[in-house]
Amino acid sequence: MRKVLIASFVFVVVSAFGQVRKVTSFNNDWEFCRANEKDSLNLQQWEKVSLPHTARLESKVVVSQFQGDCVYRKSFVCQLKKDEKAFLHFEGVMMTAAVYLNGTWMSTHEGGYLPFTIDLTSELKRGKNVIEVRVNNEDHPQIPPGKPLKDLDFNYYGGIYRNVKLIITNAIHITDAVHENVPGSGGVFVNFNSFQASTAKAKVLVHVKNETSRSANIKIETMIEDGNGYSYRTISATKELAAFSSHQIESHAIVHQAELWSPSHPFLYDLTIRVYKDNKLVDEQHQKVGIRFFELKADGFYLNGSKYELSGTNRHQEYPYVGYALSDNANWRDAVMIKNAGFNFVRLSHYPQSESFLDACDELGLIVMDCLPGWQFMGDSTFQSNVKQNLRDMIRRDRNRTCVLFWENSLNETWMEPSFTKELNAILDQEMPFYSISCSWIDDPSYDLFIPARQHAKAPVYWNSYQNGTKHILVAEYGDWEYYAQNAGFQQSTFSDLKEEERTSRQLRSDGEKRLLQQAFNFQEASNSNHQGNQIIGEANWLMFDYNRGYSPDLESSGIADIFRIPKFSYDFYRSQFSPLITQFDPRLKSGYSLGIANYWTPESPLDVTVFSNVEEVELYVNDSLIGRQKPTMNSFSDHLKHPPFHFQVSKFVPGKLRAVGYANNHEVAFRQVFTPGIPNGLNMDVVTEGIPISLDQMDIVFVRAFVTSDEILVPTAEEEISFKIIKGNKAALIGENPVKSEAGIASILLKTEGFYDEIQIEASSPKLGKMVFILAPEK
């Protein structure tokens, strides 16, 4: 396993390719039919849908997820010119997909988390064509993750839940790496194998196929631009490509005064690759690229030559009601929330996630651990063969990602024989001959990085005393199971009076201040402990968002935000660990000082007031009366944190407001206040975009929130029934329980748009609280 990446250069397709290659969305104008409760398809009952799409809308808490057959079909016209080809690219279909064109079977793909491509050329007709996709998402022990849904720690839903694209190319074209299925080849593979004196030099490998009956003289042109006037252009030597053959052609690129990609500076270049046949342009790709180099050294993990600490989280790609069928922009919004929580790293638990989420990680600056589909299951030889093919497909899809530095080429919490792990690592070496860092939850010598969960060791030291030569640990999960099942960390007499459900990190927003504070403390204590391990290079908490599980009829609620993406107190804790001195590269991201008061200031609220902040000192006021000015609280649960929390003891509750003022260098730099709520008497509304506007021309989903207020102040204990209604808007629909009871004062529902061209008006109403209308207007 190669531990050192001297330098790397990676890219992502972001647009159609001019006149020589056309990539168009194939998401709209589908028809859909699902099997009924008797497991039969009624092909007379077709529903018009757009993609991404889930096989069935589920309840917020999924108790009996749909599993069975469904069919998608679409009519389209595709007029090919001479020497043109047509491909249909599916980013993800759960779990098996049999594709038919004009009644002819084209291919069947097994596996729900990785892409596949169908060559339509041979069966296309002039005029109307019909594509049909027959989908099944029932348990299949030979298809990863393999484990029956009823025993699985997540749900995998169903349908064509990711994008579909129609790609038109010349018969001489750059191949798709996954579709071509050539070890270490296919598509474009770029690696900057030299970085000296701020100059980066790359080897560019381009796999070209000639599907004509004539040989052709082929050249590759590579151009890289920084958007500020710098450009570099090179042309490869001519290669004669025989009829009906393919070849990998080597080209090069150079960047002078290279700007390196990092989470604090995720700089991306524009890369253009052109293919010429007899000096005539036949294929072209425009892509985004980033340059970074990293390695594991004896004393830790290094990024771009400097020691770097990984602070991250785990994410499941699930929304309420629609399951996995997130829009591209919804995936971006999740990435923005993760980044704004102060994280620089995300583990894709426990499967490869959408291309749009990885686009966001590239552009926003989130380091990624890419993960094989799997959890606590090992199947037969066919299952194991599919795992190995999944690994190849995952690497081929993501090998050129700026953000992907770590490969979890192992099955999570699954015993694997040494012979099998050696095969998985041999595949990684073959597919990634330039660089790789392999990761496993098993301390196997064939892996570069050991990634156990915290609960896999014993309290109180956990992994802090781990020693295995120079091998390092990244604590891949912490803060949940060790508190849920092991009662870890609760020897303190302070918590002796806590009930079992109060000790756990699994807390809904409706569970109240005491339990939400306990969740935040659990994460704080565990993170503080992780920072004491000499071999620990980073951590990922469990987890970012609440989610559903196949084996349990309730939400797994250890997320630092709920399933509707509403933050809990823990979110403010993590946000406070982010350095105030780092200025985020993207204006959609938060920078500077943060301050959060973990208290509702009601008669039932704790008088020990917790403030999470990255300032030097905090003043706390009750109704403008100073309680005190304090530095962070330093104790055995905070002494290894970058920014320990602040604690203030208030003698008695006085209704009004809590006000916290943060100071750095004796200057006021942050401010927050919380007001005692009264009796609910009104509503406020918001549509949450996280700075990512609603898509104008593609399906999008966003959260609509109604806030129960008392004189404009949120009532965090309110449980009021709220009804939502669209009173104006084309191609817009509400998805979710409706009416819905507010949770901790906030009621949420999904808004789905299919083209956002005109104004949308949404009404929230309550018999007790009246009505409010929120107006959405597209950005012109």
Side-chain angles (χ1 to χ4, degrees), residues 409-474:
N409 58 327
S410 58
L411 298 174
N412 185 57
E413 295 187 350
T414 302
W415 172 250
M416 299 167 289
E417 293 294 336
S419 58
F420 185 63
T421 63
K422 288 179 181 178
E423 286 186 88
L424 295 181
N425 281 296
I427 288 171
L428 182 58
D429 281 341
Q430 184 183 39
E431 296 288 346
M432 295 285 291
F434 298 132
Y435 54 90
S436 63
I437 293 181
S438 63
C439 310
S440 176
W441 79 286
I442 298 175
D443 194 6
D444 185 308
S446 64
Y447 287 94
D448 301 320
L449 185 63
F450 182 29
I451 56 165
R454 187 168 181 252
Q455 71 265 16
H456 295 158
K458 293 182 179 181
V461 295
Y462 293 99
W463 296 107
N464 296 343
S465 60
Y466 171 83
Q467 288 290 334
N468 185 359
T470 60
K471 196 166 190 177
H472 294 291
I473 283 182
L474 187 147

Side-chain angles (χ1 to χ4, degrees), residues 320-555:
Y321 312 122
V322 298
Y324 281 176
L326 277 67
S327 63
D328 286 351
N329 285 6
N331 279 302
W332 267 80
R333 293 176 192 118
D334 270 9
V336 169
M337 279 202 71
I338 292 170
K339 186 78 174 181
N340 278 337
F343 296 126
N344 58 30
F345 168 77
V346 60
R347 177 174 176 242
L348 307 185
S349 49
H350 299 291
Y351 41 77
Q353 299 188 14
S354 67
E355 295 177 36
S356 57
F357 184 75
L358 291 173
D359 288 344
C361 293
D362 279 337
E363 296 201 30
L364 297 175
L366 278 168
I367 295 171
V368 167
M369 180 178 289
D370 222 345
C371 304
L372 270 175
W375 183 78
Q376 295 188 2
F377 182 85
M378 175 61 77
D380 61 15
S381 59
T382 301
F383 171 85
Q384 293 175 36
S385 294
N386 286 332
V387 168
K388 288 180 275 190
Q389 187 62 51
N390 270 198
L391 177 58
R392 291 189 183 277
D393 291 349
M394 180 178 76
I395 296 169
R396 291 163 185 167
R397 189 194 75 163
D398 297 337
R399 66 191 180 190
N400 293 324
R401 287 283 180 182
T402 316
C403 58
V404 177
L405 307 191
F406 300 94
W407 301 92
E408 191 174 335
N409 58 327
S410 58
L411 298 174
N412 185 57
E413 295 187 350
T414 302
W415 172 250
M416 299 167 289
E417 293 294 336
S419 58
F420 185 63
T421 63
K422 288 179 181 178
E423 286 186 88
L424 295 181
N425 281 296
I427 288 171
L428 182 58
D429 281 341
Q430 184 183 39
E431 296 288 346
M432 295 285 291
F434 298 132
Y435 54 90
S436 63
I437 293 181
S438 63
C439 310
S440 176
W441 79 286
I442 298 175
D443 194 6
D444 185 308
S446 64
Y447 287 94
D448 301 320
L449 185 63
F450 182 29
I451 56 165
R454 187 168 181 252
Q455 71 265 16
H456 295 158
K458 293 182 179 181
V461 295
Y462 293 99
W463 296 107
N464 296 343
S465 60
Y466 171 83
Q467 288 290 334
N468 185 359
T470 60
K471 196 166 190 177
H472 294 291
I473 283 182
L474 187 147
V475 181
E477 300 175 21
Y478 73 88
D480 170 42
W481 190 258
E482 68 266 37
Y483 296 96
Y484 180 74
Q486 298 173 357
N487 279 346
F490 291 105
Q491 288 75 34
Q492 312 96 302
S493 60
T494 312
F495 303 110
S496 60
D497 62 337
L498 289 178
K499 299 177 183 177
E500 191 73 21
E501 64 271 16
E502 294 172 335
R503 298 184 175 199
T504 176
S505 298
R506 299 185 181 184
Q507 304 295 350
L508 298 167
R509 286 183 52 256
S510 58
D511 286 332
E513 291 162 283
K514 182 179 181 180
R515 291 169 64 169
L516 292 175
L517 279 165
Q518 188 63 51
Q519 183 201 57
F521 177 81
N522 292 352
F523 284 127
Q524 172 195 321
E525 180 190 54
S527 181
N528 190 70
S529 171
N530 292 338
H531 281 84
Q532 299 174 49
N534 291 331
Q535 297 302 108
I536 296 174
I537 65 167
E539 60 179 8
N541 81 329
W542 191 263
L543 75 167
M544 186 66 201
F545 305 114
D546 294 351
Y547 68 102
N548 280 283
R549 300 161 293 166
Y551 72 69
S552 184
D554 60 356
L555 289 176

Side-chain angles (χ1 to χ4, degrees), residues 649-690:
Q649 192 64 45
V650 181
S651 61
K652 65 178 181 177
F653 171 76
V654 179
K657 67 180 177 182
L658 279 180
R659 179 163 59 95
V661 182
Y663 293 88
N665 296 319
N666 285 318
H667 294 288
E668 181 179 332
V669 293
F671 171 85
R672 182 72 67 87
Q673 54 188 7
V674 175
F675 295 89
T676 302
I679 298 173
N681 58 17
L683 294 172
N684 278 329
M685 290 183 69
D686 194 15
V687 173
V688 185
T689 65
E690 301 295 345

